[in-house]
Amino acid sequence: MKRVLIVGAGKGGTSLLKILYAAKRMKIVGVIDHNKDASGFGLAKEYHIPIDTNWKNWIDQNIDIIIEATGDEHVLAEMMKLRNRHTVIIPGTVAYIISELFDEKESLLERIKLQMNNQELILNNIRDGMIVINNQEIVQFVNKSAERIVGYSKEKSEGQHIKDVVPNTRLPQILRSQRKEVNQKLFLENDKKVITTRIPIINADDRLIGAFAIFKDITEVMNLAEENTDLKEIKTMLEAIIQSSDEAISVVDENGKGLIINPAYTQITGMKEADIVGHPASADISEGESMHMKVLKTRRAVRGVRMKVGPGKKEVLVNVAPVIVDGKLKGSVGVLHDVSEIQSLTSELKRARQIIRNLEAKYTFDDIIGTSPEMRLALEQAKVGAKTPATVLLRGDSGTGKELFAHAIHNESDRKHNKFIRVNCAAIAESILESELFGYEEGAFSGAKHGGKRGLFEEANLGSIFLDEIGELSLNMQAKLLRVLQENEIVRVGGTEPISLNVRVIAATNINLEKAIMNRSFREDLYYRLNRLPIFIPSLRERITDLPELVDHIIQKINADYGRNVRSIGEQALVNLQKYQWPGNIRELENVIGRAIIYMDMNEEVIKQGHIPELEAPSATSTYSGPPTNTNQPLQSAVENYEKEFIFEAYKRNKFNKTKTSKDLNISIRNLYYKLEKYKIEKPSMQ
């Protein structure tokens, strides 16, 4: 079985991998691609095929065939230069060599029949080997060529059983079947390779009297054929790949005349093979320039070009690569992708993602971007909380990533294999919120379903429930939620029997719960039940050092969503973004980067300052009017008031960055959090 190495794990290499693996005609020893995220790597791992990023590591690994699927002519040229002389490089189109071996068999047999009396003289002078046996499988005749090929002398062979001379011969089977076998391969024990024809001998009375084999030594011929890797088989294989591929493929020669199209191409363009093959490459284009002709002129591949093809003006994306053999341009290969199909698949993927997102946690701590001290502290607290069953309260401004933390906490916990239910308390009407959270019994109200309905808490049993915007709950719902947290049970609307639950609650809010308690809009007892493990998620302005890493992550995400190829952001644009206060946090940053990319030209790869929409820095106004003027108060109160003002001024001076403030005050970050909460020191409101 031939050993095959596939270089290039993109769509073309992946298709080759699927077909070759299914055919099981050759052994795939490795899949190579410089891109570690190449789509073919996942398939290779599934098939237990080794992967690598450098094909040079494999060039001396006894490879019979290297299929170069990158389309890069420099890679092909370097492969041709470095390959082992026994290794065949397939650039995509191949020629084939067919060797015709025997043309004298039938005439020779006729001569044998006509000249039986002189057969030994004749047969000893032919170049083909010949062995004759009787109907008892005993060797009767061996000519000189047979002696040379088989390696047994005439004296040692004649009179012996045929299996003692040629152990793997099929002449005994010919005696039993009385049917000839023509041009069959046979490998002898002395490593000789022969092509043999076996024929039964039947006399004039129609009686079987024996059989004979005539054979030719093709060892050298087969070695040469194997060195050229059976090009006929490869050609057939590649044609089968093209014809069976779901990708629409067209091939033209060096003059731009159509050579091959497959059924998928016909289906997309609506044009028949006769309309394309033999005609100029522009024959199928209704709007746009022929990429085949452009590639033939420039010898460079083009990718992702939009055009319209066929009489129906089907909109497609085109990838075209040159076919270069021994440094000579032989044509080009094009692959078409139906834009409408891509859009449909993208929509289906988005819908599927939304469904999955509603049923299970999508993100892990690896998806949370940031290495600033503030973010590291929040991550450490979250990872500790994930290992306990305690209720977690995520606090932070809107857009800081509280939901991301909730997903990660669930996925890090021992509940990760159970459901993760998301509830936006502010998005569900007060009139139906109780029935949505706790479910209802049959007949509980007008329109209730037959048999009742499970609530979201029941759905999340043994898993986690994420209550976002919990500060928006009414006092009535807060009381019912408190009972769930205290008793670990719920009562459905219209029901009387409590239902025990084992649910991990993760809550989140962007409001100041302490102020809400003072305003009597949030229950103090529920606050203490929720606030067992508070995690403060820093705003973007508090961890502005993470901004470059966040921008890079957002660029990659938008590239995947919009099909763009933006590589980075300019230095000046990044500096200006770092000067902004970001009242909308990560959500606002995603909006700004997304708008910038949308308005960029398709061929631009770097976000520049001109692409960034104008950002107005919000004014920071102090919540406090200055140091207290009332001196008629106890010393302890005066000290606390002074400490409160002193901390606020340091907080403001450090642009409300907690880490810098703690260093400025020479206290720990945890102590600072305590004092900020103690004195109810808030971040400035953004106007």
Side-chain angles (χ1 to χ4, degrees):
M1 185 178 287
K2 304 298 180 190
R3 291 168 56 82
V4 180
L5 180 69
I6 298 176
V7 179
K11 289 187 176 179
T14 303
S15 298
L16 282 169
L17 175 59
K18 288 180 181 177
I19 294 172
L20 288 177
Y21 183 81
K24 300 188 183 301
R25 298 286 297 275
M26 299 182 181
K27 178 177 179 60
I28 305 170
V29 299
V31 177
I32 313 299
D33 199 296
H34 67 87
N35 181 6
K36 295 182 179 178
D37 298 324
S39 59
F41 276 3
L43 193 61
K45 291 178 181 177
E46 180 181 337
Y47 292 160
H48 304 293
I49 296 172
I51 62 175
D52 202 342
T53 57
N54 190 346
W55 60 264
K56 294 179 182 178
N57 296 336
W58 296 73
I59 202 70
D60 294 323
Q61 298 297 317
N62 195 22
I63 304 299
D64 296 309
I65 307 169
I66 297 179
I67 300 178
E68 193 283 309
T70 67
D72 190 326
E73 60 184 271
H74 299 296
V75 173
L76 179 59
E78 193 171 5
M79 281 184 184
M80 296 299 293
K81 179 180 178 182
L82 298 178
R83 67 162 183 160
N84 187 294
R85 65 185 186 90
H86 296 297
T87 302
V88 173
I89 308 295
I90 300 175
T93 59
V94 296
Y96 68 93
I97 300 172
I98 303 176
S99 300
E100 297 292 336
L101 296 175
F102 306 108
D103 57 0
E104 58 186 23
K105 299 293 184 301
E106 295 301 326
S107 62
L108 179 58
L109 296 178
E110 291 298 325
R111 290 170 60 192
I112 292 172
K113 292 178 182 179
L114 293 173
Q115 302 179 30
M116 290 297 292
N117 294 330
N118 299 316
Q119 64 177 3
E120 188 168 350
L121 177 63
I122 296 171
L123 296 178
N124 277 327
N125 285 279
I126 65 173
R127 298 181 61 187
D128 293 347
M130 185 173 185
I131 296 179
V132 182
I133 64 172
N134 62 15
N135 57 7
Q136 299 301 312
E137 302 180 6
I138 303 301
V139 177
Q140 300 294 301
F141 173 75
V142 177
N143 72 352
K144 291 183 178 180
S145 294
E147 288 183 87
R148 174 177 51 82
I149 295 171
V150 176
Y152 277 86
S153 66
K154 183 181 182 70
E155 292 76 14
K156 290 183 179 181
S157 301
E158 292 180 353
Q160 300 295 316
H161 193 277
I162 184 62
K163 288 285 188 178
D164 294 332
V165 179
V166 184
N168 58 341
T169 181
R170 282 184 53 81
L171 280 176
Q173 285 88 330
I174 298 301
L175 291 175
R176 289 190 286 272
S177 69
Q178 298 187 28
R179 294 183 178 181
K180 67 179 180 180
E181 294 180 350
V182 180
N183 293 345
Q184 301 297 305
K185 288 183 180 180
L186 181 66
F187 296 88
L188 303 178
E189 287 191 331
N190 59 3
D191 294 331
K192 292 288 183 68
K193 304 165 188 176
V194 300
I195 289 290
T196 179
T197 295
R198 310 177 185 98
I199 300 175
I201 302 173
I202 301 174
N203 66 11
D205 298 328
D206 201 26
R207 185 168 62 88
L208 178 69
I209 62 173
F212 70 93
I214 183 166
F215 45 92
K216 181 187 291 291
D217 183 0
I218 59 164
T219 305
E220 292 185 4
V221 176
M222 285 197 66
N223 287 341
L224 179 61
E226 288 180 0
E227 191 170 308
N228 287 277
T229 326
D230 196 355
L231 296 180
K232 180 180 180 180
E233 182 177 330
I234 292 173
K235 176 180 179 294
T236 303
M237 177 187 67
L238 291 177
E239 286 179 347
I241 290 171
I242 291 174
Q243 293 299 321
S244 62
S245 174
D246 291 335
E247 305 285 355
I249 300 172
S250 70
V251 183
V252 303
D253 63 18
E254 64 269 27
N255 297 314
K257 294 293 182 67
L259 288 178
I260 303 172
I261 63 170
N262 66 350
Y265 192 91
T266 299
Q267 185 177 357
I268 284 184
T269 62
M271 300 179 71
K272 299 178 181 178
E273 186 175 349
D275 301 326
I276 304 295
V277 176
H279 294 276
S282 58
D284 58 342
I285 299 175
S286 53
E287 289 184 19
E289 174 190 359
S290 170
M291 291 299 103
H292 275 303
M293 299 308 298
K294 182 175 181 179
V295 167
L296 292 175
K297 288 179 182 177
T298 63
R299 296 168 68 101
R300 294 176 178 271
V302 295
R303 298 186 182 278
V305 178
R306 284 181 178 261
M307 62 172 57
K308 294 183 179 180
V309 296
K313 295 186 177 181
K314 173 74 75 173
E315 188 174 3
V316 296
L317 283 175
V318 180
N319 297 333
V320 183
V323 177
I324 299 173
V325 181
D326 293 333
K328 294 182 180 179
L329 183 66
K330 294 296 184 181
S332 62
V333 179
V335 179
L336 274 62
H337 301 282
D338 188 343
V339 171
S340 61
E341 184 178 349
I342 294 173
Q343 292 171 342
S344 175
L345 290 173
T346 301
S347 298
E348 288 184 16
L349 179 60
K350 287 181 178 179
R351 286 196 296 271
R353 282 177 175 172
Q354 186 62 37
I355 293 171
I356 292 171
R357 191 178 179 190
N358 288 331
L359 294 177
E360 61 184 32
K362 178 181 177 183
Y363 306 105
T364 68
F365 284 115
D366 291 336
D367 296 308
I368 299 177
I369 308 300
T371 56
S372 63
E374 293 83 1
M375 182 54 77
R376 285 204 302 270
L377 175 62
L379 286 170
E380 288 172 6
Q381 292 175 330
K383 289 177 180 178
V384 169
K387 299 301 182 182
T388 71
T391 300
V392 174
L393 179 61
L394 300 172
R395 306 190 64 172
D397 290 350
S398 178
T400 53
K402 295 186 291 296
E403 182 175 336
L404 200 65
F405 269 77
H407 282 253
I409 289 170
H410 174 80
N411 269 331
E412 189 78 7
S413 72
D414 55 6
R415 299 172 182 263
K416 62 183 177 182
H417 298 300
N418 297 310
K419 285 186 178 180
F420 175 76
I421 302 297
R422 301 163 55 250
V423 183
N424 188 324
C425 300
I428 303 177
E430 174 71 19
S431 58
I432 64 171
L433 182 58
E434 183 179 359
S435 62
E436 287 294 316
L437 288 176
F438 308 130
Y440 56 80
E441 298 289 356
E442 181 177 346
F445 50 82
S446 177
K449 288 184 179 180
H450 178 72
K453 178 186 175 184
R454 286 157 54 96
L456 294 174
F457 268 91
E458 285 185 78
E459 291 290 341
N461 193 29
L462 302 180
S464 303
I465 188 167
F466 173 47
L467 302 177
D468 197 8
E469 304 291 354
I470 198 168
E472 302 297 329
L473 290 176
S474 66
L475 290 172
N476 180 48
M477 281 303 302
Q478 290 177 34
K480 294 180 178 180
L481 177 60
L482 177 62
R483 184 177 187 280
V484 174
L485 296 177
Q486 288 176 335
E487 307 297 335
N488 292 323
E489 61 184 26
I490 57 106
V491 177
R492 290 184 178 180
V493 176
T496 56
E497 294 294 326
I499 300 172
S500 296
L501 297 175
N502 179 6
V503 179
R504 194 323 173 36
V505 175
I506 304 173
T509 183
N510 62 353
I511 70 171
N512 188 320
L513 293 180
E514 292 79 11
K515 180 179 286 188
I517 292 172
M518 294 176 62
N519 295 335
R520 301 184 181 278
S521 61
F522 199 84
R523 294 177 62 103
E524 187 173 4
D525 47 4
L526 177 60
Y527 168 79
Y528 289 119
R529 178 65 64 172
L530 291 172
N531 205 44
R532 286 184 176 177
L533 184 57
I535 298 174
F536 292 87
I537 302 175
S539 63
L540 180 54
R541 63 181 171 274
E542 291 177 306
R543 59 182 188 111
I544 203 69
T545 56
D546 290 334
L547 191 134
E549 196 175 355
L550 287 165
V551 170
D552 183 66
H553 175 75
I554 293 169
I555 288 173
Q556 301 309 318
K557 177 182 176 183
I558 294 174
N559 280 342
D561 291 343
Y562 293 173
R564 301 297 293 269
N565 191 32
V566 177
R567 291 188 296 105
S568 61
I569 185 171
E571 184 177 348
Q572 186 58 48
L574 185 62
V575 169
N576 289 338
L577 292 181
Q578 290 175 313
K579 294 178 180 179
Y580 185 54
Q581 290 294 305
W582 298 107
N585 293 296
I586 309 299
R587 191 176 293 122
E588 183 181 7
L589 178 62
E590 288 180 339
N591 176 272
V592 169
I593 299 301
R595 287 167 60 192
I597 292 177
I598 288 171
Y599 288 112
M600 291 171 64
D601 291 338
M602 291 297 293
N603 59 348
E604 289 185 290
E605 296 182 343
V606 178
I607 301 176
K608 299 179 180 177
Q609 178 57 33
H611 300 130
I612 303 294
E614 186 175 350
L615 302 174
E616 294 183 3
S619 59
T621 58
S622 172
T623 307
Y624 305 98
S625 58
T629 56
N630 180 18
T631 57
N632 186 21
Q633 55 180 317
L635 176 61
Q636 181 64 32
S637 298
V639 170
E640 289 181 350
N641 286 336
Y642 180 79
E643 183 180 47
K644 176 180 179 181
E645 291 299 329
F646 191 85
I647 291 173
F648 175 77
E649 290 302 323
Y651 195 24
K652 177 181 176 182
R653 183 170 61 254
N654 287 283
K655 298 181 179 179
F656 305 98
N657 184 298
K658 294 183 178 68
T659 300
K660 292 180 179 178
T661 303
S662 66
K663 291 180 179 178
D664 193 7
L665 296 174
N666 196 24
I667 62 175
S668 70
I669 187 72
R670 294 180 185 274
N671 195 11
L672 177 63
Y673 270 112
Y674 166 76
K675 291 183 180 296
L676 291 176
E677 187 172 348
K678 174 184 176 181
Y679 293 126
K680 307 296 185 292
I681 298 176
E682 302 176 12
K683 302 166 189 175
S685 60
M686 298 300 165
Q687 303 299 327

